[in-house]
Amino acid sequence: MSQDKLTEKAVRQLLYDESSVMLSVGRPGPTFPSCSDILTTATLELVGDPQEEQYTFQYGPCKGDPGFCDEVAKFLTEQYGDTVDSQDIMVTAGATQGLHLVATVMFDKDTPVFMEDPTYFIAVKILREDFGMNIIPIPTGDDGMDLKILEEQLKKHKPVSVDHCKTPFWGMVYTIPTFNNPKGYSMSPDRCRALVSLGRKYDVMLFAEDVYNLLHYSGQPHPPPRLLSFDKRSDEDFQGHVISNCTFSKILAPGLRTGWIEAPPRIMQYLEKSKTAWSGGSFNHYTSKLMATALRKGLLTSHLQQLREEYTERMRIACDVLAKKLPASVKCNNPQGGFFIWLELPAHIDAMELLQLAVDKYKVNFIFGASTSPTDSCKNCARLSISFCNKSQLQDGVTKFCDALTEMMNQAT
């Protein structure tokens, strides 16, 4: 079946069939009971404080509750090993809402958005279909965007005048630089510096989805430096070109719908003064105060350490199975963080057809590569997730995936 005949409804049925082993899902699974303990403890403390009651159930400040901004800044300073200022933090209702806020407040319809190819597939749909923005795909290698091609496209699309633009930025570069979705890489420091230089040279915003950064498995105390840290305020030509979009969805619970943006004053002034923020009175105010309480009590720090230990083991299990069972012609990465393993299959293998075989016969699913590409490329690629299944399910599922692939490759010979 061709991809254009496989409707979105059918894709969802394949990817989220609950009878299958879920290697498709990029979210935490149901195996971390500490989430309930964290939220119960935080709730009892927050609602048990009569001095806080007058603030907790009201609209909050546009930028977010100051206590939340302070606690997030302290938490990130410790986790990143790099100073984060609370003035650079703004509450969001999760990473998707953060993207929505930035795209609609700071840009117009038809704005050029330079996106990695492949990338987070729903972000493509949001920006192109919901907002009518002009998606310009940039191919990626094992270390991020091809910056030579990016600069060629920046030159090509830069307008003669920016007087019509809502903000100082005429375009946006959308990137997932750390533990990338779907390819799992982290951009090198040299590439981060070069990307920031291009952002400054062409005055485009660099929008970094930093949702996986804290899930690092190398044993080092801190993750790779986030892209924003390379936009140094001590530089003579600093103006503020990078925004870091983050969420608690990957490190605690998606249902919280709470996250944060970290951005310099040049960007933050537009977001916190937007009419959307003014009307909302702090996005997800109550839950942000819960998270501030949890952070203040150190509850998330211990939970995050448990996550890293668990996901480190899951990533090892999945990569060990792949190393033993994958045909030699399959290229497979070995991520040091995040949720995803990216596989490049032989050119003649259609990953969408493999998905149908895997679901129908082996009861295992995954994301086929073409669905992650703004250009419908990567047809011979697959993304596996280690986040949702427990270790036993994961080992079984990855083994069945390899069996399905071997069967298809044998049929093709």
Side-chain angles (χ1 to χ4, degrees):
M1 182 185 300
S2 63
Q3 184 175 345
D4 59 348
K5 292 182 180 178
L6 191 62
T7 65
E8 188 169 344
K9 180 179 179 182
V11 170
R12 287 175 177 167
Q13 288 175 338
L14 285 172
L15 297 183
Y16 297 101
D17 177 0
E18 292 185 1
S19 67
S20 298
V21 180
M22 308 288 276
L23 301 183
S24 60
V25 181
R27 65 174 184 262
T31 56
F32 292 103
S34 58
C35 292
S36 296
D37 296 337
I38 290 170
L39 294 173
T40 298
T41 300
T43 299
L44 290 174
E45 175 150 331
L46 179 62
V47 300
D49 185 346
Q51 293 184 346
E52 283 292 317
E53 185 174 354
Q54 60 181 318
Y55 307 113
T56 299
F57 303 112
Q58 291 291 333
Y59 290 111
C62 293
K63 193 165 169 286
D65 181 74
F68 174 86
C69 297
D70 289 344
E71 292 301 330
V72 167
K74 293 175 186 176
F75 172 70
L76 294 178
T77 295
E78 177 184 353
Q79 295 297 325
Y80 288 156
D82 183 42
T83 301
V84 176
D85 193 323
S86 64
Q87 294 301 309
D88 296 339
I89 301 296
M90 181 175 183
V91 176
T92 67
T96 298
Q97 194 265 333
L99 176 61
H100 182 284
L101 179 70
V102 172
T104 54
V105 168
M106 302 198 68
F107 299 103
D108 289 314
K109 182 180 179 181
D110 297 325
T111 293
V113 180
F114 306 86
M115 300 189 77
E116 293 159 335
D117 185 5
T119 189
Y120 173 46
F121 60 98
I122 301 179
V124 178
K125 295 180 181 294
I126 291 170
L127 295 172
R128 182 160 58 193
E129 298 176 19
D130 287 357
F131 304 154
M133 301 176 89
N134 179 21
I135 303 302
I136 300 161
I138 307 296
T140 60
D142 295 332
D143 186 26
M145 280 186 177
D146 185 321
L147 298 187
K148 180 179 179 181
I149 294 178
L150 174 60
E151 182 163 21
E152 291 172 355
Q153 292 298 319
L154 289 170
K155 288 179 181 177
K156 177 180 177 180
H157 291 276
K158 185 175 181 179
V160 176
S161 171
V162 296
D163 292 343
H164 66 285
C165 298
K166 295 168 70 173
T167 68
F169 307 103
W170 59 268
M172 180 170 79
V173 176
Y174 177 95
T175 178
I176 309 174
T178 306
F179 309 133
N180 176 268
N181 178 10
K183 296 183 79 171
Y185 60 71
S186 293
M187 287 172 52
S188 67
D190 285 346
R191 190 169 293 262
C192 288
R193 292 186 191 97
L195 180 55
V196 169
S197 293
L198 285 178
R200 292 176 176 180
K201 181 177 180 180
Y202 292 95
D203 222 6
V204 290
M205 176 190 290
L206 306 180
F207 185 100
E209 289 276 31
D210 286 333
V211 300
Y212 306 104
N213 300 41
L214 300 183
L215 298 172
H216 53 95
Y217 316 138
S218 65
Q220 299 298 315
H222 306 297
R226 66 205 187 287
L227 183 65
L228 186 147
S229 69
F230 294 91
D231 194 17
K232 295 185 180 299
R233 300 190 184 191
S234 58
D235 292 345
E236 290 184 3
D237 58 345
F238 171 82
Q239 295 184 64
H241 285 81
V242 184
I243 185 169
S244 177
N245 190 43
C246 309
T247 183
F248 289 105
S249 293
K250 309 304 183 185
I251 59 174
L252 188 58
L256 294 171
R257 305 315 310 137
T258 305
W260 67 95
I261 281 172
E262 182 188 0
R266 187 188 190 202
I267 296 173
M268 188 64 76
Q269 62 176 322
Y270 291 96
L271 304 180
E272 67 174 312
K273 294 178 181 178
S274 69
K275 304 306 181 288
T276 305
W278 184 19
S279 176
S282 174
F283 305 111
N284 212 340
H285 177 58
Y286 173 74
T287 308
S288 73
K289 289 184 72 66
L290 279 183
M291 294 312 304
T293 303
L295 290 169
R296 187 173 64 253
K297 294 180 69 66
L299 302 177
L300 197 61
T301 299
S302 57
H303 173 76
L304 188 54
Q305 183 57 38
Q306 293 176 28
L307 280 186
R308 290 192 190 115
E309 292 172 1
E310 174 69 17
Y311 287 153
T312 297
E313 183 64 12
R314 291 190 197 181
M315 188 67 78
R316 183 196 64 77
I317 289 171
C319 289
D320 282 353
V321 172
L322 292 169
K324 292 175 183 177
K325 293 187 65 67
L326 279 180
S329 56
V330 176
K331 181 180 178 181
C332 176
N333 64 353
N334 190 0
Q336 298 300 301
F339 286 171
F340 306 118
I341 301 171
W342 182 251
L343 304 173
E344 185 177 334
L345 314 177
H348 66 280
I349 297 295
D350 187 325
M352 188 178 68
E353 294 180 3
L354 175 62
L355 173 62
Q356 290 184 296
L357 172 65
V359 169
D360 292 342
K361 182 173 180 179
Y362 292 90
K363 296 298 181 183
V364 59
N365 60 33
F366 59 92
I367 294 290
F368 60 92
S371 68
T372 70
S373 171
T375 58
D376 293 328
S377 58
C378 304
K379 293 182 184 298
N380 64 317
C381 297
R383 190 200 79 177
L384 310 183
S385 173
I386 58 99
S387 65
F388 191 78
C389 300
N390 63 36
K391 286 179 280 193
S392 175
Q393 293 170 328
L394 184 65
Q395 182 164 8
D396 179 57
V398 176
T399 299
K400 289 179 176 177
F401 168 85
C402 293
D403 291 341
L405 175 59
T406 299
E407 177 178 338
M408 176 165 280
M409 291 180 64
N410 288 339
Q411 291 173 352
T413 57

